[in-house]
Amino acid sequence: MLGYEVNFDGLVGLTHHYAGLSFGNEASTLHRNAVSNPKLAAKQGLLKMKSLADLGFQQGVLPPQERPHLPMLRKLGFSGSDENILAQVMRTAPQLLSALSSASSMWTANAATVSPSADSADGKVHFTAANLNNKFHRAIEAETTSAVLRAIFSDRQHFEHHDALPQVALFGDEGAANHNRLGGSYAQRGVQVFVYGRQEFGGEQAPTRYPARQTREASEAIARLHQLQPEHTVFLQQNPAVIDQGVFHNDVIAVSNQQVLFHHQQAFLHQQQGLDELRRKMATVGSELVAIEVPTARVSVADAVATYLFNSQLLTKANGRMMIVVPEESRQHAGVWHYLSEMVASGGPIDEIKVFDLRESMRNGGGPACLRLRVAMNEQELRAVNPRVMMNDALFTTLNQWVERYYRDRLTQADLADPQLLREGREALDALTTILGLGSVYPFQQ
């Protein structure tokens, strides 16, 4: 049976702004209070989606979430009309309004962890929405994320959905940004790799400067929920030293596709031991690990973080070779670009580079891989996906017109209190759910 990897990219929301909300994400902190351009951000993302679809890759779209998040403001004691609440919170707690206006759901690598049916005991594709409880502005995403995923993957014969794990530190879960799957065909059994930053019970090391957002306990819970077999599952600890250098997720220091793991020399704690386990378990599914390790002497951790070299996408082309998708920042860095150029010329599995300008996303701390959620499916499962979210010429045109109509080309934190921005957002999302055939997935639609 044929298998496919579908990348579902998040549309950047109408309240995209630079608030520096994500401690531990140095790009996010660096650009705090800069003026953003939501319209450009959305169009940059759409262009990436359409370009990859034109190259023959399966590409889907995930919608943004409703922001500002008025239901949470009401839970926190603000009352009155929507307009009055916005005025109150801007006057008394502007940082809270900024957090509850974050467009961070565009980074759909954090939306959920996904296990394909080939790996699950019940033969279904499993989804667990991430609780993202390390950051308040992201912890509010899980409910709508679940609603969106259930609307897109609605066939219970093929898809199984799990609620987010409990909202406590013990089960801190950051979704697919700390999850890899290695093997051969997307429709055949593979080995799932869960990367965690700390272990609540019995852990040996943890970062000291920045938080470790993913726990081993959360990763183990998801493996159980998804009915994975221990002999085909690996748990690796991210190197605490690189977390303290701004590697807030595994996808900032490593990325995988099929048999290839492209990673930094300092990516994992006890790295050689972990790679040996991965090789043994991949052999049981008839696959051989191809580890491409980038030496620190060639690319420092600081340069990897600054250029988001590893927050790239590895995509298998029709000829079986792979393309690496990187942000413009990687091309602009002489050392990183020289390494990439040597790699694609070396005769290895990655023989092509595709560069995208994602400046608006990059300045808020997310690159190509942050913007997409990977879902491996067989032919039957792909046919069961809501077809209206799949990128094609017509949808690209429609969504660009939608962005042109509703999005602003300049936004500051002061604009977040504008009641008109709230109205524009709700009108836009109402229209978008119709375009994508999602039904009522937002709180204001209930």
Side-chain angles (χ1 to χ4, degrees):
M1 183 178 292
L2 289 176
Y4 305 89
E5 180 186 73
V6 187
N7 285 279
F8 290 85
D9 279 38
L11 267 172
V12 180
L14 290 87
T15 56
H16 162 63
H17 67 289
Y18 300 122
L21 295 168
S22 193
F23 179 67
N25 180 334
E26 297 195 346
S28 169
T29 305
L30 179 64
H31 295 101
R32 180 188 289 123
N33 298 328
V35 177
S36 67
N37 186 334
K39 182 178 290 187
L40 176 61
K43 290 194 169 187
Q44 286 175 342
L46 281 170
L47 185 61
K48 170 179 172 282
M49 296 183 227
K50 179 61 163 53
S51 297
L52 294 178
D54 286 346
L55 290 170
F57 300 107
Q58 296 286 345
Q59 179 68 57
V61 181
L62 292 178
Q65 299 204 6
E66 178 194 358
R67 298 292 183 269
H69 196 279
L70 270 294
M72 180 57 71
L73 287 171
R74 292 184 184 277
K75 283 185 179 179
L76 296 175
F78 295 95
S79 60
S81 67
D82 291 345
E83 291 79 2
N84 286 341
I85 288 176
L86 290 174
Q88 290 172 45
V89 71
M90 178 55 93
R91 185 174 65 252
T92 62
Q95 283 302 108
L96 186 57
L97 179 59
S98 184
L100 292 173
S101 301
S102 173
S104 56
S105 66
M106 66 182 176
W107 292 310
T108 54
N110 299 124
T113 303
V114 186
S115 294
S117 58
D119 299 351
S120 303
D122 63 357
K124 293 184 180 182
V125 182
H126 284 251
F127 299 81
T128 297
N131 61 29
L132 297 167
N133 66 14
N134 187 260
K135 298 288 179 285
F136 173 61
H137 69 285
R138 302 223 59 183
I140 61 174
E141 294 175 15
E143 185 176 350
T144 298
T145 295
S146 288
V148 167
L149 292 175
R150 291 171 196 269
I152 294 174
F153 305 95
S154 59
D155 190 332
R156 292 299 301 272
Q157 179 183 347
H158 298 293
F159 306 118
E160 188 71 30
H161 295 271
H162 306 279
D163 293 336
L165 297 178
Q167 284 283 9
V168 294
L170 172 62
F171 293 113
D173 176 29
E174 298 286 310
N178 285 319
H179 177 254
N180 293 277
R181 181 178 185 262
L182 290 115
S185 165
Y186 298 117
Q188 295 175 346
R189 183 181 296 280
V191 174
Q192 296 202 26
V193 183
F194 292 86
V195 183
Y196 61 95
R198 63 184 172 86
Q199 185 171 350
E200 193 86 356
F201 300 137
E204 55 177 309
Q205 293 186 43
T208 57
R209 181 186 181 198
Y210 289 142
R213 304 183 188 185
Q214 181 84 24
T215 67
R216 179 173 179 129
E217 289 81 1
S219 297
E220 290 174 339
I222 292 169
R224 288 191 295 270
L225 288 168
H226 292 194
Q227 301 184 25
L228 305 181
Q229 302 302 311
E231 60 268 27
H232 300 131
T233 308
V234 175
F235 298 94
L236 297 179
Q237 184 171 355
Q238 193 171 349
N239 185 348
V242 300
I243 295 177
D244 280 337
Q245 293 178 69
V247 181
F248 54 99
H249 289 139
N250 172 69
D251 66 4
V252 183
I253 203 72
V255 62
S256 67
N257 178 44
Q258 293 186 313
Q259 79 278 16
V260 174
L261 177 63
F262 180 54
H263 65 97
H264 194 272
Q265 182 181 354
Q266 299 181 52
F268 308 108
L269 189 65
H270 308 310
Q271 186 151 292
Q272 193 55 54
Q273 178 183 328
L275 294 179
D276 288 344
E277 180 186 359
L278 184 52
R279 285 190 182 91
R280 289 195 304 272
K281 290 186 174 180
M282 286 180 66
T284 68
V285 297
S287 187
E288 184 176 349
L289 175 67
V290 178
I292 302 175
E293 183 173 291
V294 181
T296 304
R298 293 297 309 273
V299 178
S300 68
V301 173
D303 286 344
V305 171
T307 63
Y308 272 32
L309 167 63
F310 296 96
N311 195 246
S312 51
Q313 292 178 250
L314 288 180
L315 302 171
T316 300
K317 300 182 290 184
N319 64 3
R321 305 292 292 236
M322 294 187 191
M323 168 195 294
I324 187 168
V325 176
V326 300
E328 178 64 35
E329 284 77 0
S330 289
R331 177 159 58 186
Q332 296 301 321
H333 187 285
V336 167
W337 188 250
H338 186 60
Y339 176 84
L340 283 170
S341 300
E342 280 188 5
M343 180 181 70
V344 299
S346 69
I350 305 169
D351 68 352
E352 185 179 352
I353 310 172
K354 183 77 172 175
V355 181
F356 286 101
D357 180 2
L358 300 168
R359 184 195 68 193
E360 288 290 315
S361 167
M362 287 287 293
R363 292 178 73 186
N364 231 347
C370 283
L371 290 167
R372 62 93 170 95
L373 179 69
R374 295 185 285 185
V375 184
M377 291 178 279
N378 60 37
E379 290 179 276
Q380 287 182 323
E381 293 155 356
L382 183 56
R383 285 197 296 269
V385 174
N386 175 353
R388 291 167 67 174
V389 304
M390 299 304 294
M391 181 55 69
N392 53 39
D393 291 346
L395 182 59
F396 180 69
T397 299
T398 298
L399 290 178
N400 268 287
Q401 292 171 343
W402 174 80
V403 169
E404 194 64 41
R405 175 177 179 183
Y406 291 108
Y407 278 60
R408 299 186 181 189
D409 59 13
R410 185 182 189 280
L411 198 71
T412 66
Q413 285 179 267
D415 296 322
L416 301 175
D418 181 2
Q420 183 58 30
L421 180 65
L422 177 66
R423 288 190 286 269
E424 290 168 5
R426 287 178 171 173
E427 183 181 346
L429 294 179
D430 241 349
L432 184 62
T433 52
T434 299
I435 293 168
L436 299 179
L438 299 176
S440 299
V441 294
Y442 297 111
F444 75 90
Q445 295 176 318
Q446 306 306 314

